[in-house]
Amino acid sequence: MLHYNTVMLYDAAEQIHLPQRRNVRLDTLLRLRWLAVIGQTTAVLVVVYVAEFPLPVWACMAVIALSAWLNVALRVRFSLTQRLEPTRAAWLLAFDIAELAVLLFLTGGLQNPFAFLFLAPVLLSATALPPRITVILGIFAVICATILVFAHYPLPWDPDDPLELPWIYLLGVWFSILLCIGFIGVYAWQITEEGRQIAEALAATELVLAREQHLSQLDGLAAAAAHELGTPLATISVVTRELERALESGSPHTDDVKLLREQAQRCRDILGKLTELPTGAPFDRTPLSALIEEVVAPHRNFGIDINVSLAERSGAPMGARNPAVLYGLGNILENAVDYAQARVEVAADWSDDDVAVTISDDGPGFAPEILDRIGEPYVKSSKRRRMNAGGEPTGLGLGFFIAKTLLERSGATVEFENRPYPDRGAVVRVRWLRDEFERPLDAPSASSLGLAAT
């Protein structure tokens, strides 16, 4: 039982947090490239026919036509819904960088204000492709920008008053492109990665909650199965008894029919025991003391003393037997048992307004580097857990995230802290408004109603 929550969490997390193959839809790249083709064509035509600046227009249009032809070829060759492998997507983005570099070469190099468009393919790669590919594309973009500092056609300008930009200005433009590619690329990757982790962690949370709800419904399903199977088993027993009476003495089938009747009776006895399981509305609610004992029971007798203390006052709250609460408290308690030296304390208190459960241990406490980040997905301590000292996997850092998420969905607030010096150990406080704690499981919480209203 000690491994139950851990194994289920690890399996659920493994199903969700598989190594993700980062890719991008072909349709996304084609749409962005068509947008670039339209923008580049418009810019060239405006410069030539509106501003009337000299420009190698046919060379520029040929480069743009090549990009458009590639789009058409990709559209004919592949389905728009196809997701490209990272390497193929990288080649297409590298082509976009090279195409932009050639256009800038024909139109003034880094003197052209559109030089900052080098950032676009790198930014797209940072949000959709692996970091290694993004770094390669960033380096390629910087190389192209460096070449354009020294080799380029003149910037389209009035031939009677040519624009001459100093070298220090071009160096500043080159350096700003370098910084933008590095800083904005890393920033975009960080934001996208955090969003991806949150999505995966929430998916794992939903999977764990679904499994907990499934397990909590097994008692009811067993009773229902016993009720439904009782009638056909009774019919089988009656028929076999009649067959047994109809058989002549010494018939070779007598023992078989007798065995069939005995086994049918055995099945009825087993189903009779299942009907004795506590199910139904009276058992959907449980006192706080019973809920805590249900959470604590699987973690006893493992060398750690678990001391449960309840407030000495009347009017103990009756809460719904919520799988989210059971799993959330169980996961926090399991973590306390894993890290405790000898003792874990579970204290429950209540008033007319709120209900609180505090779980503390005498272990090393939360590591300072993760204390402010507890509750975020994939946050793990560098210390090894007691139960994994034999080299078992230490998990994916989802335990506290899932526990905190499930408890907050039940209306609780969760706080993490360490005991004040000189004491040692971690302290986790879970607090509900009493109305939230005693709310029936199928009724919406006040927090969910507030979210729905907004």
Side-chain angles (χ1 to χ4, degrees):
M1 287 300 293
L2 175 64
H3 288 277
Y4 168 71
N5 282 342
T6 301
V7 171
M8 189 176 68
L9 167 63
Y10 190 79
D11 291 343
E14 280 294 318
Q15 290 184 24
I16 299 297
H17 191 60
L18 298 173
Q20 297 294 320
R21 292 187 63 84
R22 301 176 184 238
N23 48 38
V24 61
R25 289 181 58 196
L26 176 63
D27 184 52
T28 301
L29 291 181
L30 295 185
R31 288 176 181 272
L32 292 175
R33 183 172 290 155
W34 280 125
L35 183 61
V37 167
I38 295 173
Q40 292 166 359
T41 303
T42 302
V44 170
L45 296 179
V46 168
V47 169
V48 174
Y49 297 106
V50 177
E52 297 183 349
F53 289 159
L55 185 72
V57 60
W58 293 112
C60 293
M61 297 304 294
V63 174
I64 298 173
L66 178 62
S67 180
W69 173 85
L70 178 60
N71 252 23
V72 174
L74 290 173
R75 176 63 183 88
V76 173
R77 175 64 178 83
F78 299 101
S79 170
L80 289 179
T81 59
Q82 178 170 343
R83 290 189 172 272
L84 297 176
E85 297 294 324
T87 303
R88 291 186 177 182
W91 280 110
L92 293 179
L93 293 175
F95 172 84
D96 293 335
I97 294 175
E99 187 253 357
L100 177 62
V102 174
L103 280 179
L104 292 175
F105 170 79
L106 297 171
T107 58
L110 294 192
Q111 297 179 15
N112 192 318
F114 289 101
F116 283 97
L117 289 177
F118 274 129
L119 178 62
V122 181
L123 183 59
L124 179 59
S125 174
T127 59
L129 301 181
R132 174 181 57 87
I133 291 179
T134 302
V135 171
I136 294 174
L137 290 175
I139 293 175
F140 180 56
V142 171
I143 292 175
C144 291
T146 304
I147 294 174
L148 291 176
V149 173
F150 304 100
H152 58 81
Y153 276 49
L155 179 70
W157 204 258
D158 186 358
D160 296 331
D161 185 20
L163 178 65
E164 295 291 340
L165 296 175
W167 277 98
I168 190 66
Y169 178 84
L170 295 179
L171 180 61
V173 172
W174 176 87
F175 194 67
S176 64
I177 292 176
L178 174 63
L179 289 181
C180 285
I181 289 176
F183 175 76
I184 299 181
V186 171
Y187 181 80
W189 176 84
Q190 183 71 22
I191 295 297
T192 305
E193 187 67 16
E194 289 178 0
R196 185 180 292 112
Q197 288 183 352
I198 288 292
E200 293 173 359
L202 287 175
T205 303
E206 296 289 349
L207 181 58
V208 168
L209 180 57
R211 290 184 176 183
E212 281 288 331
Q213 290 174 335
H214 175 72
L215 291 174
S216 69
Q217 295 168 355
L218 287 182
D219 290 348
L221 292 175
H227 175 73
E228 295 294 331
L229 293 175
T231 300
L233 283 174
T235 303
I236 293 174
S237 297
V238 171
V239 172
T240 53
R241 191 176 293 111
E242 294 296 329
L243 288 175
E244 192 174 8
R245 292 174 182 174
L247 289 174
E248 298 180 356
S249 177
S251 172
H253 302 295
T254 301
D255 292 339
D256 294 336
V257 174
K258 180 180 179 181
L259 177 63
L260 181 62
R261 179 176 58 81
E262 291 175 349
Q263 293 301 312
Q265 182 60 41
R266 182 182 177 187
C267 290
R268 294 185 66 186
D269 293 339
I270 294 173
L271 293 179
K273 294 179 181 179
L274 292 179
T275 59
E276 298 174 1
L277 292 173
T279 59
F283 301 97
D284 290 339
R285 300 180 63 78
T286 180
L288 179 60
S289 58
L291 184 145
I292 292 179
E293 182 58 33
E294 185 173 354
V295 170
V296 170
H299 304 285
R300 296 190 185 276
N301 304 320
F302 285 94
I304 300 297
D305 181 22
I306 303 179
N307 180 46
V308 178
S309 60
L310 302 175
E312 297 181 357
R313 60 172 62 95
S314 60
M318 292 280 293
R321 193 177 181 278
N322 190 338
V325 174
L326 292 173
Y327 182 87
L329 292 178
N331 190 278
I332 293 174
L333 179 62
E334 180 181 331
N335 189 79
V337 171
D338 290 346
Y339 283 97
Q341 297 295 325
R343 184 180 181 85
V344 171
E345 296 180 358
V346 181
D349 193 7
W350 61 85
S351 66
D352 294 337
D353 299 323
D354 57 21
V355 178
V357 176
T358 302
I359 300 175
S360 58
D361 60 69
D362 60 352
F366 296 115
E369 66 270 15
I370 70 169
L371 184 57
D372 294 335
R373 299 177 55 214
I374 293 178
E376 297 180 9
Y378 307 109
V379 174
K380 296 186 290 185
S381 173
S382 58
K383 300 182 178 67
R384 293 184 63 84
R385 300 174 63 180
R386 172 188 301 272
M387 64 180 296
N388 290 327
E392 298 179 15
T394 57
L396 297 170
L398 280 175
F400 269 133
F401 173 82
I402 293 179
K404 184 172 182 289
T405 301
L406 294 180
L407 289 171
E408 288 177 345
R409 287 188 177 186
S410 72
T413 58
V414 186
E415 299 176 355
F416 304 91
E417 63 181 36
N418 288 323
R419 288 181 172 178
Y421 184 82
D423 295 332
R424 298 179 58 194
V427 179
V428 181
R429 292 187 178 88
V430 185
R431 186 180 303 274
W432 294 265
L433 293 176
R434 183 153 181 160
D435 291 341
E436 288 283 344
F437 183 80
E438 295 182 332
R439 173 176 54 85
L441 187 58
D442 56 351
S445 65
S447 58
S448 64
L449 288 175
L451 289 175
T454 56

